[in-house]
Amino acid sequence: MSDIQIRKVGQTGRITLSRPKALNALSWDMCREIEAALDLWADDNDVKMLVIDAEGDKAFCAGGDIADLYDRGRAGDFEYGQRFWADEYRMNAKMFEFPKPVAAFLQGFTMGGGVGVACHGSHRVVGESSQIAMPEVGIGLVPDVGGSLILARAPGRLGEYLGLTASRLSAGDAIAAGFADYFIPEADWADLIQKLEETGDHSLIDTAAYPAPVGAIAAQQAEIDTAFGGERLQDIVNTLRNTDSEFATKTLKTLSRNSPLAMACALELIRRNRLSDNIRSTLEQEYRFTSRATEHGEFLEGIRAAIIDKDRKPQWQHSLEQLPTVEVAQMLLPLGESKLRFEEGEDA
Protein backbone atom coordinates (compact mmCIF):
# COMPACT_ATOMS: atom_id res chain seq x y z
CA MET A 1 0.00 0.00 0.00
CA SER A 2 1.23 3.49 -0.83
CA ASP A 3 2.42 5.80 1.95
CA ILE A 4 0.19 8.55 0.55
CA GLN A 5 -3.09 8.67 -1.36
CA ILE A 6 -3.48 11.51 -3.86
CA ARG A 7 -6.63 11.72 -5.93
CA LYS A 8 -9.52 13.94 -7.02
CA VAL A 9 -12.82 13.34 -5.27
CA GLY A 10 -15.83 15.36 -6.35
CA GLN A 11 -14.92 19.05 -6.20
CA THR A 12 -11.72 18.53 -4.21
CA GLY A 13 -8.12 17.54 -4.52
CA ARG A 14 -7.54 14.96 -1.77
CA ILE A 15 -4.29 14.13 0.01
CA THR A 16 -4.26 11.42 2.68
CA LEU A 17 -1.11 10.42 4.55
CA SER A 18 -1.34 6.65 4.94
CA ARG A 19 1.47 5.23 7.04
CA PRO A 20 -0.23 5.19 10.44
CA LYS A 21 2.17 2.59 11.90
CA ALA A 22 4.96 5.15 11.36
CA LEU A 23 2.75 7.95 12.72
CA ASN A 24 2.47 9.14 9.10
CA ALA A 25 6.08 10.33 9.10
CA LEU A 26 6.84 12.29 5.95
CA SER A 27 9.28 10.68 3.54
CA TRP A 28 11.14 12.31 0.66
CA ASP A 29 8.91 10.54 -1.88
CA MET A 30 5.80 11.78 -0.09
CA CYS A 31 7.09 15.36 -0.28
CA ARG A 32 7.64 15.05 -4.01
CA GLU A 33 4.22 13.50 -4.59
CA ILE A 34 2.54 16.33 -2.69
CA GLU A 35 4.45 18.93 -4.69
CA ALA A 36 3.44 17.27 -7.97
CA ALA A 37 -0.22 17.33 -6.90
CA LEU A 38 -0.02 21.01 -5.98
CA ASP A 39 1.44 21.80 -9.40
CA LEU A 40 -1.28 19.79 -11.13
CA TRP A 41 -4.25 21.15 -9.19
CA ALA A 42 -3.33 24.83 -9.00
CA ASP A 43 -4.85 25.47 -12.45
CA ASP A 44 -7.37 22.61 -12.51
CA ASN A 45 -10.84 24.18 -12.66
CA ASP A 46 -12.40 20.94 -11.43
CA VAL A 47 -10.58 21.29 -8.11
CA LYS A 48 -12.26 23.93 -5.96
CA MET A 49 -10.23 23.27 -2.81
CA LEU A 50 -7.79 20.82 -1.21
CA VAL A 51 -8.63 18.53 1.69
CA ILE A 52 -5.71 16.96 3.56
CA ASP A 53 -6.05 14.28 6.21
CA ALA A 54 -4.29 11.18 7.52
CA GLU A 55 -5.05 7.62 8.53
CA GLY A 56 -5.01 6.42 12.12
CA ASP A 57 -5.91 8.13 15.36
CA LYS A 58 -2.48 8.73 16.88
CA ALA A 59 -1.03 11.28 14.47
CA PHE A 60 -1.67 13.42 11.45
CA CYS A 61 2.09 13.45 10.92
CA ALA A 62 4.65 13.19 13.71
CA GLY A 63 7.46 14.67 11.61
CA GLY A 64 9.93 13.82 8.88
CA ASP A 65 11.28 10.34 8.26
CA ILE A 66 14.81 10.99 9.49
CA ALA A 67 16.33 7.49 9.56
CA ASP A 68 17.88 7.87 6.10
CA LEU A 69 19.15 11.35 6.94
CA TYR A 70 20.96 9.93 9.97
CA ASP A 71 22.43 6.95 8.14
CA ARG A 72 23.62 9.04 5.19
CA GLY A 73 25.03 11.71 7.47
CA ARG A 74 26.96 9.18 9.53
CA ALA A 75 28.44 7.90 6.28
CA GLY A 76 29.58 11.42 5.33
CA ASP A 77 26.88 11.96 2.68
CA PHE A 78 25.78 15.46 3.66
CA GLU A 79 24.35 16.26 0.23
CA TYR A 80 21.51 13.78 0.76
CA GLY A 81 20.04 15.85 3.59
CA GLN A 82 20.54 19.07 1.69
CA ARG A 83 18.58 17.75 -1.30
CA PHE A 84 15.83 16.36 0.94
CA TRP A 85 15.34 19.64 2.80
CA ALA A 86 15.48 21.67 -0.42
CA ASP A 87 12.71 19.58 -2.00
CA GLU A 88 10.63 19.63 1.17
CA TYR A 89 10.91 23.40 1.55
CA ARG A 90 9.87 24.01 -2.07
CA MET A 91 6.76 21.92 -1.38
CA ASN A 92 6.11 23.95 1.78
CA ALA A 93 6.30 27.19 -0.20
CA LYS A 94 3.84 25.88 -2.79
CA MET A 95 1.44 24.80 -0.05
CA PHE A 96 1.64 28.25 1.56
CA GLU A 97 1.11 29.98 -1.81
CA PHE A 98 -1.57 27.61 -3.16
CA PRO A 99 -4.24 29.75 -4.86
CA LYS A 100 -7.26 27.82 -3.53
CA PRO A 101 -8.58 27.00 -0.04
CA VAL A 102 -6.63 24.26 1.74
CA ALA A 103 -8.33 22.40 4.58
CA ALA A 104 -6.30 20.12 6.85
CA PHE A 105 -7.62 17.87 9.62
CA LEU A 106 -5.06 17.38 12.38
CA GLN A 107 -5.73 14.55 14.80
CA GLY A 108 -3.16 13.46 17.36
CA PHE A 109 0.42 14.56 16.83
CA THR A 110 1.30 17.14 14.18
CA MET A 111 4.99 17.93 14.47
CA GLY A 112 7.88 19.16 12.35
CA GLY A 113 7.33 18.10 8.76
CA GLY A 114 3.63 17.62 9.46
CA VAL A 115 3.37 21.33 10.28
CA GLY A 116 4.87 22.11 6.87
CA VAL A 117 2.16 20.08 5.12
CA ALA A 118 -0.86 21.14 7.17
CA CYS A 119 -0.30 24.44 8.95
CA HIS A 120 0.24 26.69 5.93
CA GLY A 121 -3.30 26.07 4.69
CA SER A 122 -6.28 28.40 4.98
CA HIS A 123 -8.56 26.10 7.03
CA ARG A 124 -6.65 24.19 9.71
CA VAL A 125 -8.95 22.01 11.81
CA VAL A 126 -8.07 20.57 15.22
CA GLY A 127 -10.02 18.33 17.60
CA GLU A 128 -9.90 16.76 21.03
CA SER A 129 -6.74 14.70 20.46
CA SER A 130 -4.71 17.33 18.60
CA GLN A 131 -1.19 18.11 19.79
CA ILE A 132 0.96 20.39 17.64
CA ALA A 133 4.63 21.16 18.21
CA MET A 134 7.90 22.23 16.64
CA PRO A 135 10.28 19.95 18.59
CA GLU A 136 13.39 20.38 16.45
CA VAL A 137 15.69 21.99 19.05
CA GLY A 138 15.56 18.71 20.96
CA ILE A 139 17.41 16.97 18.11
CA GLY A 140 19.79 19.77 17.17
CA LEU A 141 17.69 21.42 14.45
CA VAL A 142 15.72 24.66 14.26
CA PRO A 143 11.97 24.96 13.72
CA ASP A 144 11.80 24.67 9.94
CA VAL A 145 9.37 23.84 7.06
CA GLY A 146 8.24 27.45 7.43
CA GLY A 147 7.36 26.89 11.08
CA SER A 148 9.60 29.71 12.25
CA LEU A 149 7.29 32.13 10.39
CA ILE A 150 4.24 30.81 12.25
CA LEU A 151 6.19 31.19 15.50
CA ALA A 152 7.16 34.75 14.57
CA ARG A 153 3.50 35.62 14.05
CA ALA A 154 2.38 34.19 17.42
CA PRO A 155 1.15 36.67 20.06
CA GLY A 156 3.75 38.32 22.26
CA ARG A 157 6.77 36.09 22.89
CA LEU A 158 4.81 32.87 22.56
CA GLY A 159 6.76 32.00 19.40
CA GLU A 160 10.08 32.21 21.20
CA TYR A 161 8.74 30.08 24.04
CA LEU A 162 7.36 27.38 21.75
CA GLY A 163 10.41 27.33 19.49
CA LEU A 164 12.90 27.02 22.36
CA THR A 165 10.96 24.68 24.67
CA ALA A 166 9.35 22.50 21.95
CA SER A 167 6.16 22.54 24.02
CA ARG A 168 3.10 20.75 22.66
CA LEU A 169 -0.03 22.73 21.88
CA SER A 170 -3.51 21.46 22.63
CA ALA A 171 -6.30 22.38 20.23
CA GLY A 172 -7.09 25.65 22.00
CA ASP A 173 -3.46 26.67 22.33
CA ALA A 174 -2.79 25.78 18.68
CA ILE A 175 -5.52 28.17 17.59
CA ALA A 176 -4.29 30.89 19.96
CA ALA A 177 -0.71 30.51 18.69
CA GLY A 178 -1.68 30.61 15.01
CA PHE A 179 -1.07 26.95 14.08
CA ALA A 180 -4.79 26.19 13.61
CA ASP A 181 -8.06 27.97 12.88
CA TYR A 182 -11.05 25.81 13.82
CA PHE A 183 -12.06 23.44 16.60
CA ILE A 184 -14.43 20.73 15.37
CA PRO A 185 -15.13 17.51 17.32
CA GLU A 186 -13.36 14.64 15.59
CA ALA A 187 -16.57 12.59 15.41
CA ASP A 188 -17.85 15.20 12.92
CA TRP A 189 -14.86 15.12 10.58
CA ALA A 190 -15.87 12.27 8.26
CA ASP A 191 -19.26 13.76 7.43
CA LEU A 192 -17.77 17.21 6.95
CA ILE A 193 -15.06 15.93 4.62
CA GLN A 194 -17.69 14.10 2.56
CA LYS A 195 -19.70 17.33 2.21
CA LEU A 196 -16.56 19.25 1.21
CA GLU A 197 -15.84 16.65 -1.46
CA GLU A 198 -19.37 16.92 -2.81
CA THR A 199 -19.61 20.72 -2.83
CA GLY A 200 -16.09 22.20 -2.72
CA ASP A 201 -17.61 24.79 -0.36
CA HIS A 202 -15.03 25.74 2.27
CA SER A 203 -17.57 27.84 4.18
CA LEU A 204 -19.01 24.58 5.53
CA ILE A 205 -15.99 24.48 7.86
CA ASP A 206 -16.96 27.81 9.41
CA THR A 207 -20.49 26.52 9.96
CA ALA A 208 -19.26 23.30 11.60
CA ALA A 209 -16.80 24.95 14.00
CA TYR A 210 -17.25 25.18 17.75
CA PRO A 211 -15.75 27.73 20.17
CA ALA A 212 -12.13 26.78 20.82
CA PRO A 213 -11.36 25.41 24.29
CA VAL A 214 -9.03 27.51 26.41
CA GLY A 215 -5.51 26.06 26.45
CA ALA A 216 -3.15 25.89 29.40
CA ILE A 217 -0.28 27.71 27.68
CA ALA A 218 -2.40 30.74 26.82
CA ALA A 219 -2.93 31.31 30.53
CA GLN A 220 0.86 31.74 30.93
CA GLN A 221 1.16 34.49 28.32
CA ALA A 222 2.26 37.18 30.78
CA GLU A 223 5.03 34.99 32.26
CA ILE A 224 6.13 33.93 28.78
CA ASP A 225 6.34 37.51 27.52
CA THR A 226 8.47 38.55 30.49
CA ALA A 227 10.82 35.56 30.37
CA PHE A 228 11.32 35.41 26.60
CA GLY A 229 11.60 39.11 25.81
CA GLY A 230 15.41 39.15 25.90
CA GLU A 231 17.48 39.84 22.81
CA ARG A 232 19.70 36.76 23.12
CA LEU A 233 19.36 33.26 24.50
CA GLN A 234 21.65 34.27 27.36
CA ASP A 235 19.20 37.03 28.31
CA ILE A 236 16.33 34.54 28.45
CA VAL A 237 18.35 32.08 30.54
CA ASN A 238 19.39 34.84 32.95
CA THR A 239 15.81 36.05 33.35
CA LEU A 240 14.60 32.55 34.15
CA ARG A 241 17.42 31.98 36.63
CA ASN A 242 16.55 35.20 38.44
CA THR A 243 12.81 34.51 38.57
CA ASP A 244 11.45 32.63 41.58
CA SER A 245 8.47 30.81 40.13
CA GLU A 246 7.37 27.32 39.20
CA PHE A 247 7.15 28.41 35.56
CA ALA A 248 10.75 29.65 35.51
CA THR A 249 12.11 26.52 37.18
CA LYS A 250 10.24 24.17 34.87
CA THR A 251 11.12 26.16 31.75
CA LEU A 252 14.81 26.36 32.61
CA LYS A 253 14.88 22.58 33.10
CA THR A 254 13.28 22.13 29.67
CA LEU A 255 15.82 24.41 27.98
CA SER A 256 18.69 22.49 29.59
CA ARG A 257 17.72 19.38 27.61
CA ASN A 258 17.75 21.05 24.20
CA SER A 259 20.64 22.00 21.92
CA PRO A 260 21.93 25.45 22.91
CA LEU A 261 23.20 26.04 19.36
CA ALA A 262 19.82 25.16 17.87
CA MET A 263 17.95 27.27 20.41
CA ALA A 264 20.16 30.32 19.81
CA CYS A 265 19.71 29.97 16.03
CA ALA A 266 15.96 29.39 16.41
CA LEU A 267 15.66 32.59 18.43
CA GLU A 268 17.51 34.53 15.74
CA LEU A 269 15.31 33.06 12.97
CA ILE A 270 12.10 33.94 14.79
CA ARG A 271 13.26 37.52 15.28
CA ARG A 272 14.30 37.82 11.61
CA ASN A 273 10.96 36.43 10.42
CA ARG A 274 9.10 38.97 12.50
CA LEU A 275 10.75 41.60 10.32
CA SER A 276 10.46 39.93 6.89
CA ASP A 277 7.12 38.04 7.22
CA ASN A 278 7.66 36.21 3.93
CA ILE A 279 7.49 32.44 3.45
CA ARG A 280 10.27 32.24 0.87
CA SER A 281 12.60 34.35 2.96
CA THR A 282 11.73 32.18 5.96
CA LEU A 283 12.50 28.92 4.18
CA GLU A 284 15.71 30.31 2.69
CA GLN A 285 16.88 31.32 6.18
CA GLU A 286 15.90 27.95 7.68
CA TYR A 287 17.76 26.16 4.88
CA ARG A 288 20.96 28.01 5.78
CA PHE A 289 20.88 26.13 9.08
CA THR A 290 19.55 22.74 8.02
CA SER A 291 21.88 22.45 5.02
CA ARG A 292 24.78 22.74 7.48
CA ALA A 293 23.19 20.82 10.35
CA THR A 294 24.47 17.34 9.53
CA GLU A 295 28.09 18.31 8.88
CA HIS A 296 28.58 21.30 11.18
CA GLY A 297 25.68 21.20 13.64
CA GLU A 298 24.42 18.77 16.25
CA PHE A 299 21.73 16.96 14.27
CA LEU A 300 23.46 13.56 14.24
CA GLU A 301 24.07 13.64 17.99
CA GLY A 302 20.48 14.71 18.61
CA ILE A 303 19.12 11.81 16.53
CA ARG A 304 21.52 9.36 18.17
CA ALA A 305 20.30 10.27 21.63
CA ALA A 306 16.59 10.46 20.80
CA ILE A 307 16.06 7.79 18.14
CA ILE A 308 19.06 5.46 17.76
CA ASP A 309 20.44 4.78 21.25
CA LYS A 310 17.41 6.34 22.98
CA ASP A 311 19.50 7.27 26.00
CA ARG A 312 18.04 10.82 26.00
CA LYS A 313 21.48 12.13 26.94
CA PRO A 314 22.79 14.13 23.96
CA GLN A 315 26.33 15.43 24.31
CA TRP A 316 25.82 18.97 23.02
CA GLN A 317 28.81 21.12 22.07
CA HIS A 318 27.67 23.90 24.41
CA SER A 319 25.83 24.30 27.70
CA LEU A 320 23.53 26.96 29.13
CA GLU A 321 26.59 28.19 31.04
CA GLN A 322 28.66 28.58 27.84
CA LEU A 323 26.30 29.58 25.07
CA PRO A 324 27.40 29.83 21.43
CA THR A 325 27.92 33.21 19.75
CA VAL A 326 30.18 32.93 16.71
CA GLU A 327 28.69 29.57 15.77
CA VAL A 328 25.20 31.09 15.50
CA ALA A 329 26.39 33.54 12.88
CA GLN A 330 28.25 30.79 11.04
CA MET A 331 25.20 28.52 10.86
CA LEU A 332 23.03 31.31 9.45
CA LEU A 333 25.44 32.81 6.92
CA PRO A 334 24.16 33.14 3.32
CA LEU A 335 24.92 30.07 1.20
CA GLY A 336 25.83 31.85 -2.03
CA GLU A 337 25.56 29.48 -5.00
CA SER A 338 24.15 26.78 -2.72
CA LYS A 339 21.17 28.87 -1.57
CA LEU A 340 17.66 27.43 -1.62
CA ARG A 341 15.97 27.88 -4.98
CA PHE A 342 12.22 27.76 -5.53
CA GLU A 343 12.07 27.49 -9.32
CA GLU A 344 14.06 25.61 -11.93
CA GLY A 345 16.88 27.75 -13.25
CA GLU A 346 16.49 30.40 -10.56
CA ASP A 347 19.62 32.49 -10.17
CA ALA A 348 21.53 32.50 -6.92
Side-chain angles (χ1 to χ4, degrees):
M1 184 176 178
S2 173
D3 290 338
I4 188 168
Q5 301 174 45
I6 296 179
R7 71 275 188 207
K8 290 199 296 185
V9 181
Q11 306 276 337
T12 65
R14 292 284 280 112
I15 298 173
T16 301
L17 310 184
S18 51
R19 9 173 12 200
K21 291 183 179 179
L23 300 181
N24 295 311
L26 196 66
S27 69
W28 194 349
D29 285 342
M30 292 165 71
C31 289
R32 288 185 286 212
E33 290 185 57
I34 293 171
E35 180 181 14
L38 296 176
D39 290 341
L40 188 65
W41 291 336
D43 298 319
D44 186 338
N45 293 330
D46 293 333
V47 174
K48 300 296 188 292
M49 66 178 295
L50 302 192
V51 176
I52 306 173
D53 64 355
E55 293 184 356
D57 56 7
K58 292 184 179 180
F60 169 80
C61 174
D65 191 343
I66 55 179
D68 284 344
L69 290 171
Y70 178 82
D71 291 340
R72 296 294 188 100
R74 287 278 294 172
D77 181 2
F78 308 122
E79 184 183 355
Y80 180 88
Q82 293 164 351
R83 290 186 289 116
F84 168 79
W85 279 307
D87 284 353
E88 183 180 22
Y89 294 179
R90 280 192 290 269
M91 178 271 289
N92 299 145
K94 290 180 179 181
M95 186 68 76
F96 186 99
E97 296 168 349
F98 196 74
K100 302 173 185 180
V102 178
F105 291 80
L106 312 179
Q107 80 278 10
F109 295 119
T110 300
M111 299 182 178
V115 169
V117 172
C119 295
H120 295 316
S122 57
H123 294 70
R124 303 162 297 178
V125 177
V126 287
E128 302 91 330
S129 71
S130 300
Q131 295 190 64
I132 300 178
M134 298 300 296
E136 288 80 3
V137 293
I139 56 170
L141 289 180
V142 294
D144 66 337
V145 298
S148 63
L149 178 58
I150 303 176
L151 293 172
R153 292 175 170 179
R157 300 300 179 182
L158 186 55
E160 285 90 337
Y161 171 78
L162 296 174
L164 271 58
T165 64
S167 296
R168 296 177 182 177
L169 296 164
S170 66
D173 282 323
I175 292 173
F179 282 83
D181 306 294
Y182 302 92
F183 177 80
I184 300 176
E186 291 167 32
D188 297 347
W189 288 9
D191 287 344
L192 175 58
I193 289 173
Q194 183 177 353
K195 291 176 182 177
L196 293 173
E197 292 172 344
E198 293 170 352
T199 65
D201 181 4
H202 60 83
S203 70
L204 295 174
I205 300 173
D206 297 84
T207 304
Y210 285 67
V214 177
I217 292 177
Q220 300 175 316
Q221 186 76 57
E223 289 180 293
I224 288 170
D225 289 349
T226 298
F228 285 80
E231 185 70 22
R232 300 167 301 134
L233 180 58
Q234 184 69 68
D235 300 325
I236 293 171
V237 171
N238 289 342
T239 299
L240 291 168
R241 282 177 173 157
N242 292 310
T243 301
D244 183 15
S245 71
E246 182 181 354
F247 168 82
T249 301
K250 182 179 178 181
T251 303
L252 195 59
K253 184 178 180 179
T254 299
L255 296 185
S256 70
R257 294 194 291 265
N258 299 330
S259 161
L261 176 61
M263 288 191 294
C265 289
L267 181 63
E268 177 64 20
L269 287 172
I270 293 167
R271 300 289 166 79
R272 291 183 185 184
N273 287 321
R274 197 166 280 136
L275 297 174
S276 68
D277 196 38
N278 177 281
I279 189 61
R280 294 196 178 201
S281 173
T282 292
L283 291 163
E284 190 271 327
Q285 295 270 349
E286 293 171 353
Y287 185 70
R288 294 181 186 184
F289 184 97
T290 54
S291 68
R292 296 178 168 113
T294 307
E295 183 176 6
H296 302 293
E298 300 181 299
F299 174 63
L300 295 180
E301 173 59 15
I303 294 302
R304 180 207 63 76
I307 307 297
I308 307 303
D309 297 340
K310 298 182 180 180
D311 59 21
R312 304 288 175 182
K313 296 180 180 179
Q315 301 301 307
W316 303 127
Q317 299 169 12
H318 307 275
S319 67
L320 292 185
E321 286 69 39
Q322 295 179 317
L323 294 171
T325 52
V326 175
E327 294 91 336
V328 174
Q330 291 173 336
M331 292 296 288
L332 297 177
L333 282 173
L335 291 165
E337 291 293 326
S338 300
K339 68 176 286 189
L340 179 64
R341 292 173 172 81
F342 294 94
E343 307 293 344
E344 289 292 331
E346 181 182 346
D347 293 334

